Amino acid sequence: MAVRATILDIRELAAAEDRIIPDVRRRFQLLLVQDPEGSARLLLGNIYQCQAQQPRQQEAMLRLVEASVSRWGRDCDLCAIGGDWNASLQLRYGYSEATRTAAADRRLATFVHAGNWNYVAPAEATWHSSDQQRRTTLDGFSWRSRIAPGHPASL
């Protein structure tokens, strides 16, 4: 199948968060992919989320993701945002629950739940500390689809 792809200009939406995350456009990109007739539309994003010790920046990035999907994703069959979320919905090994990383995990969980996102991540850890004492999965995909479950095109 032939497709058209457009890199979306997020500058207008990013302007509100640019003061909080100066390099926001290097951390989040969006691509709209559709067949030539426009009957199948996918919104695909790449995220490199700010670190756990930057909670305001993480919150700003999540607002930008949701605003972008609200703007360009409402007519899409599938919206998928993948990359390094710098937070995890998987079990962490070697971490205390009372840390900034636990707060980052709660922010991601709230984002996924509030936005009715599905979330999938590798089963194996994607990050290890240099001493191998801590490990977790920071990479994953958040996605939502308007295609009914069981439909041949559904995930």
Side-chain angles (χ1 to χ4, degrees), residues 104-116:
D105 295 348
R106 286 190 298 275
R107 272 190 291 283
L108 178 58
T110 299
F111 167 81
V112 168
H113 180 73
N116 292 314

Side-chain angles (χ1 to χ4, degrees), residues 10 12-21 24 28 30 47 49-50 54-72 81 85 107-108 110-112 114-115 117 144:
I10 65 166
E12 182 182 320
L13 291 175
E17 310 303 349
D18 214 20
R19 292 178 301 278
I20 300 169
I21 313 169
V24 67
F28 182 60
L30 278 176
I47 188 168
Q49 176 60 294
C50 301
Q54 301 170 301
R56 286 184 55 242
Q57 289 88 340
Q58 280 195 339
E59 291 167 354
M61 182 69 74
L62 295 174
R63 282 192 304 270
L64 175 60
V65 170
E66 197 56 56
S68 298
V69 170
S70 292
R71 179 172 180 174
W72 287 294
I81 311 296
W85 292 91
R107 272 190 291 283
L108 178 58
T110 299
F111 167 81
V112 168
W117 291 94
R144 56 188 180 209

Side-chain angles (χ1 to χ4, degrees), residues 94-106:
Y95 285 84
S96 165
E97 285 298 311
T99 63
R100 288 185 233 182
T101 55
D105 295 348
R106 286 190 298 275

